[in-house]
Amino acid sequence: MVTAVIVAAGSGARMEGEGDKLFLEVNQFPVIGHTWRNFDRHPDIDEIVLVVRDDILPKFESLAHEISPRKPYSFVAGGQERQDSVRNGIKAASDNCDIVAIHDGARPCVDAETISNTIQATKEHGASVAATKIVDTIKLSDGNIRISQNVDRTHLWSVQTPQVFKINTILEAMDAVDEQRASVTDDTAACELIGQSVTLVESKKPNPKVTTNSDLPFIEFLLKE
């Protein structure tokens, strides 16, 4: 059984007063609505857990009526940090969950092929992450605004979500995060603490995240396409 954990408990502090970024409308629907539907309509997903803030739970309940989800879903409260929210979401999965696909609520353009490929890679290898190869020239700064070093991009990837794990693996990794009092910005970093390798799965289509206002026009264009 595959559970999608959609992390939607962030504050969207970089959106410059535009309100909660997850409920900004793009292509005539809230950002989080597109994300939720992508997983709800995917044949490999069996249930969905949405990790949300208590103060916007009513908005999610209203959104559920608009979406009319086909898959079972539940809401769980977010934590203080992202890693706490992820843990809450994983723990809310059904007892017979084998694989958990963790996804940013603010990535509404993820395509079905990427979801399928990450799930399949996890079945084979235990953990996987959607990613794209770095194609820009990369420079290391001196800590200010000057270049200190050229960086070889040959083996560099930009990781995205979904990040997909066998559930026992990610729970063990999260326990290691707690034991070592570590702070991780994504879930693959937790796997490093237990020596679990993570397979990179190339996203064939753009899979951007809504972070600032300038991201919205491009995301709207992708959703229309």
Side-chain angles (χ1 to χ4, degrees):
M1 178 177 183
V2 180
T3 300
V5 173
I6 300 177
V7 184
S11 62
R14 285 174 281 185
M15 288 303 292
E16 300 176 7
E18 291 292 331
D20 195 300
K21 67 181 180 182
L22 295 177
F23 285 91
L24 293 175
E25 287 204 1
V26 285
N27 200 24
Q28 301 177 336
F29 206 55
V31 169
I32 186 62
H34 292 287
T35 307
W36 187 347
R37 285 198 303 195
N38 286 340
F39 283 88
D40 183 63
R41 294 176 177 179
H42 198 285
D44 294 340
I45 301 298
D46 298 296
E47 69 170 354
I48 297 172
V49 176
L50 294 110
V51 187
V52 306
R53 302 195 315 270
D54 288 338
D55 63 309
I56 57 172
L57 178 56
K59 286 188 174 183
F60 279 92
E61 291 172 335
S62 296
L63 182 60
H65 291 298
E66 290 186 59
I67 293 176
S68 298
R70 305 169 185 175
K71 307 289 175 66
Y73 68 92
S74 61
F75 300 117
V76 63
Q80 185 173 354
E81 304 291 340
R82 186 186 185 279
Q83 63 201 50
D84 303 316
S85 293
V86 168
R87 180 187 285 274
N88 290 352
I90 295 170
K91 287 190 171 182
S94 297
D95 291 340
N96 55 345
C97 170
D98 303 306
I99 290 176
V100 60
I102 303 165
H103 189 71
D104 295 324
R107 288 189 192 272
C109 301
V110 63
D111 65 293
E113 183 181 8
T114 298
I115 296 172
S116 295
N117 289 347
T118 50
I119 291 171
Q120 184 58 39
T122 296
K123 289 178 179 178
E124 296 173 6
H125 306 291
S128 70
V129 58
T132 56
K133 294 179 180 179
I134 298 293
V135 295
D136 293 323
T137 298
I138 302 298
K139 304 290 184 179
L140 184 68
S141 80
D142 61 358
N144 292 306
I145 56 171
R146 292 179 293 274
I147 294 172
S148 66
Q149 182 182 338
N150 185 63
V151 178
D152 181 5
R153 69 187 179 200
T154 305
H155 302 296
L156 294 181
W157 292 69
S158 174
V159 298
Q160 306 164 347
T161 62
Q163 302 191 0
V164 186
F165 310 90
K166 291 184 176 178
I167 192 166
N168 291 336
T169 298
I170 191 60
L171 285 173
E172 181 185 352
M174 288 296 181
D175 286 343
V177 168
D178 286 349
E179 290 167 5
Q180 299 183 34
R181 297 183 179 180
S183 178
V184 293
T185 56
D186 82 338
D187 312 301
T188 62
C191 284
E192 293 178 21
L193 301 179
I194 62 169
Q196 170 66 50
S197 63
V198 180
T199 299
L200 292 161
V201 176
E202 187 171 8
S203 295
K204 300 296 178 62
K205 295 181 180 180
N207 182 20
K209 182 179 180 181
V210 178
T211 303
T212 66
N213 303 64
S214 61
D215 299 318
L216 294 174
F218 179 50
I219 285 174
E220 180 148 23
F221 168 77
L222 293 174
L223 291 171
K224 286 180 178 178
E225 288 293 301

